Amino acid sequence: MERWKGRVALVTGASVGIGAAVARALVQQGMRVVGCARNVDKIEKLAAECQSAGYSGTLIPYKCDLSNEEEILSMFSAIKTLHKGVDVCINNAGLAHNEPLLSGKTEGWRNMIDVNVLALSICTREAYKSMKERNVDDGHIININSMGGHRVVASADEHFYCATKYAVTALTEGIRQELREANTHIRATCISPGIVETEFAFRHHNSDPEKAAAVYESMKCLKAEDIASAVTFVLGAPPHVQIGDVQMRPLDQVL
């Protein structure tokens, strides 16, 4: 990780869970991390904690609604002005709604596509532009995917969400191919966790907190810090090594 000290990483969805853990880990490694979310109160608190802990990097909170392309473009413009550009892009933000394929609301489907697929694609495009403008040839794009992007969960509530995560799997491979065709050494990696104990299930099952709690009580789940460790492992690989896909799950998780 030594070569990343002082360089700029963007972490989307950095206010809680995996995003917050990744942001903390990268700051600890000496990176300048722009952490974005719709609400930055928790990111501001995390930034203060990182500073108090004496970490060598810095965390810069940025308010951004990733379902709005104009706000994403404005964020990248601000990063260019204040920090020159993005060297590492961690597409972590994602969400799920209980909207089955046969009875779900279009609004919920659209919101999942906007955040899980389009925001990831826009951030990737803009991060690549930033790297090319500055002749950065060793940048890295990391998509936080899900095991739901590799198999369809037997639950109607998850089916559309799984479809968006299958899209992330395909997008990451497409990004890798286009980077290779462009004769660049910028790398792309997909990290797909199984069940991680965060606020995700409680947001997903917001009308049934007991159901959300049961998800985490059924097994020893992954922790957000486990995913952050995977991110630093991937970033710390030698420049000639392409780690394409990382699949992680609790030992007790069946699928």
Side-chain angles (χ1 to χ4, degrees):
M1 289 294 291
E2 190 68 27
R3 69 191 178 91
W4 294 113
K5 284 190 175 178
R7 298 183 70 180
V8 178
L10 169 66
V11 180
T12 66
S15 60
V16 294
I18 293 171
V22 169
R24 180 191 292 273
L26 297 185
V27 171
Q28 197 167 3
Q29 293 291 338
M31 296 194 74
R32 288 183 290 155
V33 179
V34 177
C36 78
R38 285 178 298 176
N39 189 320
V40 295
D41 292 348
K42 291 181 179 178
I43 304 177
E44 289 171 348
K45 182 180 177 183
L46 178 59
E49 290 173 4
C50 290
Q51 188 174 14
S52 297
Y55 295 160
S56 55
T58 55
L59 176 58
I60 303 107
Y62 194 94
K63 183 179 175 63
C64 181
D65 179 357
L66 291 166
S67 65
N68 185 321
E69 181 175 6
E70 290 306 313
E71 289 198 23
I72 298 174
L73 297 180
S74 177
M75 175 176 66
F76 272 90
S77 177
I79 294 171
K80 180 177 180 179
T81 300
L82 299 172
H83 310 287
K84 296 185 179 178
V86 172
D87 301 308
V88 173
C89 180
I90 314 284
N91 288 308
N92 164 74
L95 51 81
H97 296 296
N98 296 335
E99 303 293 356
L101 300 177
L102 301 183
S103 59
K105 297 182 180 65
T106 306
E107 181 184 4
W109 295 344
R110 184 174 290 115
N111 189 219
M112 284 186 271
I113 288 175
D114 284 346
V115 176
N116 299 0
V117 180
L118 286 177
L120 177 147
S121 301
I122 295 166
C123 286
T124 296
R125 180 190 68 201
E126 297 305 310
Y128 176 68
K129 282 184 184 177
S130 173
M131 294 173 199
K132 288 294 289 181
E133 285 173 357
R134 296 172 296 121
N135 295 315
V136 170
D137 195 47
D138 64 343
H140 210 132
I141 296 159
I142 299 178
N143 294 329
I144 306 299
N145 196 358
S146 166
M147 286 303 298
H150 302 275
R151 83 283 187 272
V152 178
V153 179
S155 168
D157 291 346
E158 314 287 344
H159 289 160
F160 198 93
Y161 170 75
C162 285
T164 67
K165 290 302 183 178
Y166 264 81
V168 173
T169 301
L171 287 167
T172 308
E173 180 55 29
I175 292 163
R176 267 200 297 270
Q177 291 184 16
E178 292 189 25
L179 289 171
R180 192 163 56 243
E181 288 168 6
N183 293 317
T184 174
H185 295 100
I186 297 168
R187 296 179 290 182
T189 300
C190 190
I191 297 178
S192 300
I195 297 175
V196 186
E197 189 171 357
T198 64
E199 294 183 9
F200 187 88
F202 290 96
R203 291 181 175 183
H204 183 27
H205 303 292
N206 58 2
S207 61
D208 190 350
E210 289 185 4
K211 184 175 182 179
V215 171
Y216 297 141
E217 290 169 1
S218 64
M219 70 185 75
K220 184 173 176 59
C221 301
L222 297 175
K223 303 294 184 185
E225 290 75 18
D226 298 326
I227 317 309
S229 294
V231 169
T232 56
F233 172 76
V234 166
L235 286 172
H240 68 285
V241 176
Q242 169 80 282
I243 299 176
D245 297 280
V246 178
Q247 294 186 17
M248 309 170 64
R249 69 186 84 186
L251 281 173
D252 298 334
Q253 186 174 341
V254 177
L255 292 175

